[in-house]
Amino acid sequence: MTTTLPSNRAKAARKDLLVHIKGSLLTVLTYLLLFLFLFPLVWMVLAGFKTEAQAFATPPIFFFTPTFENFARALETYGPFLKNSVLIVGGSTLLAFLLGVPAGFTMALYPGKRTKSTLLWMLSTKMMPPVGVIVPLFLIFRDARLLDTHLGLILMFTTINLPLVVWMVHSYISEIPFGIIEAAKVDGASLWQEFFQVVLPLALPGIASTALLCVIFAWNEVFFAVNLTSSDASPLSVYISSFKTSEGLFWAQMSAAATLTIAPVMLFGWFAQRQLIRGLTFGAVK
Amino acid sequence: MPAVLLLVPALVYLIVATQVPFLMTVYYSFFKWNLTIPDDRPFVGFGNYLTLFTDSQNLHVMLNTVVLMLSVVVLSVVIGALIALLLNRPFFGRPVVRTLFISSFLVMPVVTAVVWKNMLMNPVFGFFAWVSQQLGLPAVDFLSQYPMQSIVAMVTWEWTPFAALILLTGLQSLPEDQLEAARLDGCTPLQEFWYIVLPHWMRSLEVVILLETIFLMQVYGEIYTSTSGGPGISTTTIPYFIYQKAFAEYNIGLASAAGVLAVLFTNMVSSVVLRIIGRNISGGKA
């Protein structure tokens, strides 16, 4: 600390106050922006607890006695779609893991000359627009009777998530100190033991967050869901889009169903926020 | 068992699920083929591509795609940068605010569209109509009067958190001593931003812009649910156009040609992204 003359001290105090005020104003601005960004969601969740009449009343109603009727009613119609979503998302995540974890493991621990280009090629498939493959896939699915089946969408969503699984698993395993794996090899561990007893436990947190990402992406996917299913195997995204022409008739019910639809993904996303960025940018930003 | 065999299933799956259908799309794009007349399939060479580039309607669709992409990239990066700067300073509740900010990105596109369309943008009962009436302005029917702007608003709302979080990650990796040194040299905050923060930020900005371009090329759910490409073709973008051509008009040839164009464009952008990512992993073990 430098010694300050009394007159300077007053000046410094005033400067501190200004900095403080500026800081508070910026904080207020941050909260204001957050409020603006959250408003559509807050409004939707609130409407889920209103009666239909309250939901589209003008002027809008901010304070009301909440009802749980909409959630109860939404659950009835929403049930079968929820089942489809869970089956398809779960199935595709599982399949992507069965195929992707061994591949990521091999490329991380036994890199060859072409490993890097293979990895980058796999990533490039993740960036391919779905519209580039939808026409032949639709025709193949039609001929193979895969349209509107769970298996059909499971296969599609596996394609979407497989590059991500390979990539993330590869990067998490690459971060394990090589000495640990070396030691296991010296002790005579088989490939199998090396994987299940050494690598998997260490990479588990990373693998778990990769699973969360797969669930988020598959749960929110719309293009394949809309174009490859019609009724029997439709997931929640198709169900919610059936509300697209609600002129105020079913807003409360729609809001309740939408809230139930996005709630799990929202929780997963908040939880896996850092991994989400890593997964979305493929580690291009550290 | 050689470890490299573990790579084979994932590799084969991705080739079969992405490269084969894409090659089929390329093949179909050279034929005039309507599914309603399955036996008549004349080879037309580049005829479908010619139609895409000469029909003014189709050109308009491509223009729409570019307008949507550019507007959302610019808006989400500018607003995202502002949010990132605000979040990059200590204040009360920062971790919670940071987590909550990502919410709109996690919402299923279909949910975004039904909520914005019905509950916010509805000209009679919507929340925005009420707000503009409070301000003494006439209620606006957003989706029919300003269709593209409305879609841009929705999609920007979804993608701004993505930009904000990546830009925040970039800011946080800026070494504190560089800023310290600049301050000691008497830099004004503006100079500090221009000469230190911005150059360091370029990498993150580059990644955000490229990745958003790729992802926004694929926007479909919001348009399908809110405007169905209308009024007229004012909000029809390439993904929605392909959906209409293939699944409403059964015009497989033209839809395929548009799909090939979308893939070619995305490939150009993603080759730059992959080069950035490739630079990152070359330092690692792979």
Side-chain angles (χ1 to χ4, degrees):
Chain A
M1 281 299 277
T2 51
T3 46
T4 322
L5 291 171
S7 63
N8 284 353
R9 207 177 289 156
K11 224 186 259 174
R14 210 177 311 139
K15 204 180 155 202
D16 275 356
L17 187 70
L18 274 177
V19 169
H20 189 74
I21 292 176
K22 203 180 123 204
S24 310
L25 284 177
L26 287 176
T27 305
V28 170
L29 181 64
T30 315
Y31 275 93
L32 197 72
L33 270 173
L34 177 71
F35 175 76
L36 283 179
F37 266 82
L38 286 183
F39 182 76
L41 287 177
V42 173
W43 197 235
M44 178 192 90
V45 175
L46 281 181
F49 291 101
K50 295 176 183 173
T51 64
E52 294 293 353
Q54 286 168 336
F56 68 99
T58 20
I61 298 172
F62 294 93
F63 301 99
F64 54 94
T65 336
T67 164
F68 292 91
E69 208 182 304
N70 301 306
F71 285 92
R73 205 147 10 104
L75 276 174
E76 289 167 23
T77 44
Y78 156 104
F81 296 93
L82 174 70
K83 197 191 97 200
N84 288 341
S85 269
V86 170
L87 264 174
I88 294 166
V89 170
S92 66
T93 305
L94 199 69
L95 185 56
F97 267 71
L98 283 176
L99 295 164
V101 174
F105 166 77
T106 317
M107 286 198 277
L109 295 186
Y110 303 92
K113 236 183 274 169
R114 285 207 242 145
T115 301
K116 188 177 156 185
S117 54
T118 310
L119 263 178
L120 288 177
W121 173 78
M122 285 184 164
L123 264 194
S124 73
T125 65
K126 171 92 191 146
M127 298 176 188
M128 180 176 227
V131 288
V133 291
I134 187 69
V135 170
L137 282 175
F138 177 79
L139 298 174
I140 293 169
F141 271 36
R142 188 190 61 178
D143 296 340
R145 303 197 174 281
L146 281 170
L147 282 183
D148 207 15
T149 63
H150 294 126
L151 181 63
L153 272 199
I154 288 177
L155 292 174
M156 272 332 301
F157 291 172
T158 300
T159 313
I160 296 175
N161 280 330
L162 183 53
L164 187 75
V165 173
V166 174
W167 178 257
M168 298 277 284
V169 167
H170 170 268
S171 76
Y172 283 116
I173 294 180
S174 300
E175 281 164 16
I176 297 174
F178 200 62
I180 299 179
I181 296 158
E182 196 78 342
K185 273 190 196 148
V186 171
D187 289 344
S190 67
L191 190 66
W192 198 251
Q193 285 172 320
E194 188 182 314
F195 178 66
F196 278 101
Q197 289 172 9
V198 183
V199 172
L200 198 61
L202 286 170
L204 208 58
I207 291 178
S209 40
T210 308
L212 287 186
L213 291 190
C214 287
V215 169
I216 294 174
F217 293 138
W219 190 271
N220 284 350
E221 206 283 336
V222 190
F223 188 71
F224 290 120
V226 165
N227 290 318
L228 298 177
T229 68
S230 46
S231 57
D232 292 348
S234 294
L236 283 167
S237 51
V238 176
Y239 170 66
I240 296 292
S241 71
S242 70
F243 284 102
K244 61 183 178 177
T245 48
S246 318
E247 283 282 332
L249 286 172
F250 305 109
W251 286 4
Q253 203 191 326
M254 173 189 87
S255 299
T259 305
L260 290 171
T261 303
I262 63 170
V265 167
M266 202 65 88
L267 290 174
F268 286 172
W270 285 339
F271 190 68
Q273 199 197 115
R274 277 169 202 282
Q275 285 71 25
L276 189 73
I277 296 171
R278 187 169 165 168
L280 278 162
T281 63
F282 315 106
V285 173
K286 292 234 164 101
Chain B
M1 186 177 75
V4 86
L5 280 181
L6 293 174
L7 176 62
V8 175
L11 205 55
V12 171
Y13 192 95
L14 277 178
I15 292 173
V16 172
T18 64
Q19 310 300 292
V20 173
F22 177 63
L23 289 177
M24 287 168 77
T25 307
V26 175
Y27 176 75
Y28 294 159
S29 74
F30 295 121
F31 293 88
K32 186 181 160 80
W33 181 22
N34 194 305
L35 275 188
T36 49
I37 332 163
D39 298 325
D40 184 36
R41 226 170 99 175
F43 178 82
V44 290
F46 285 95
N48 288 319
Y49 293 92
L50 211 62
T51 313
L52 281 179
F53 283 110
T54 49
D55 185 325
S56 67
Q57 291 248 333
N58 298 341
L59 282 176
H60 196 77
V61 167
M62 286 191 244
L63 185 69
N64 283 342
T65 315
V66 174
V67 167
L68 175 66
M69 211 158 59
L70 281 182
S71 323
V72 176
V73 167
V74 170
L75 285 170
S76 67
V77 168
V78 171
I79 304 171
L82 178 71
I83 294 173
L85 287 168
L86 285 172
L87 289 178
N88 192 35
R89 38 185 284 284
F91 63 88
F92 175 75
R94 190 176 118 170
V96 181
V97 171
R98 190 194 144 118
T99 301
L100 288 178
F101 247 122
I102 205 175
S103 307
S104 58
F105 182 71
L106 297 167
V107 176
M108 188 184 278
V110 179
V111 169
T112 303
V114 288
V115 170
W116 279 69
K117 179 188 180 181
N118 293 317
M119 293 167 60
L120 297 178
M121 289 173 162
N122 184 299
V124 184
F125 309 111
F127 188 81
F128 292 167
W130 176 75
V131 171
S132 58
Q133 274 162 356
Q134 293 312 103
L135 298 171
L137 301 166
V140 179
D141 188 357
F142 291 94
L143 284 167
S144 48
Q145 283 173 271
Y146 305 102
M148 185 50 97
Q149 289 88 331
S150 307
I151 299 279
V152 166
M154 273 183 224
V155 181
T156 302
W157 179 70
E158 287 186 312
W159 283 91
T160 300
F162 173 77
L165 287 178
I166 291 175
L167 293 175
L168 179 61
T169 313
L171 275 185
Q172 284 173 341
S173 66
L174 180 69
E176 193 63 35
D177 51 344
Q178 272 189 31
L179 285 176
E180 205 86 7
R183 256 170 236 154
L184 283 178
D185 288 345
C187 267
T188 64
L190 207 63
Q191 285 175 322
E192 191 183 300
F193 179 79
W194 190 256
Y195 293 109
I196 311 233
V197 177
L198 208 56
H200 178 82
W201 236 7
M202 282 325 274
R203 171 67 167 280
S204 311
L205 282 167
E206 196 183 29
V207 170
V208 170
I209 292 170
L210 290 169
L211 286 175
E212 281 202 0
T213 306
I214 294 172
F215 295 133
L216 291 170
M217 175 83 204
Q218 308 173 8
V219 167
Y220 172 81
E222 295 85 341
I223 294 170
Y224 167 80
T225 321
S226 66
T227 64
S228 304
I233 55 161
S234 56
T235 55
T236 304
T237 59
I238 291 173
Y240 194 78
F241 172 82
I242 293 174
Y243 155 78
Q244 272 184 324
K245 290 297 156 195
F247 299 104
E249 299 173 22
Y250 302 108
N251 190 340
I252 299 300
L254 195 62
S256 299
V260 172
L261 283 185
V263 172
L264 286 182
F265 172 80
T266 311
N267 256 36
M268 287 192 308
V269 182
S270 57
S271 65
V272 187
V273 181
L274 290 170
R275 212 172 307 144
I276 298 175
I277 297 169
R279 241 188 281 144
N280 262 0
I281 54 169
S282 57
K285 260 186 284 174

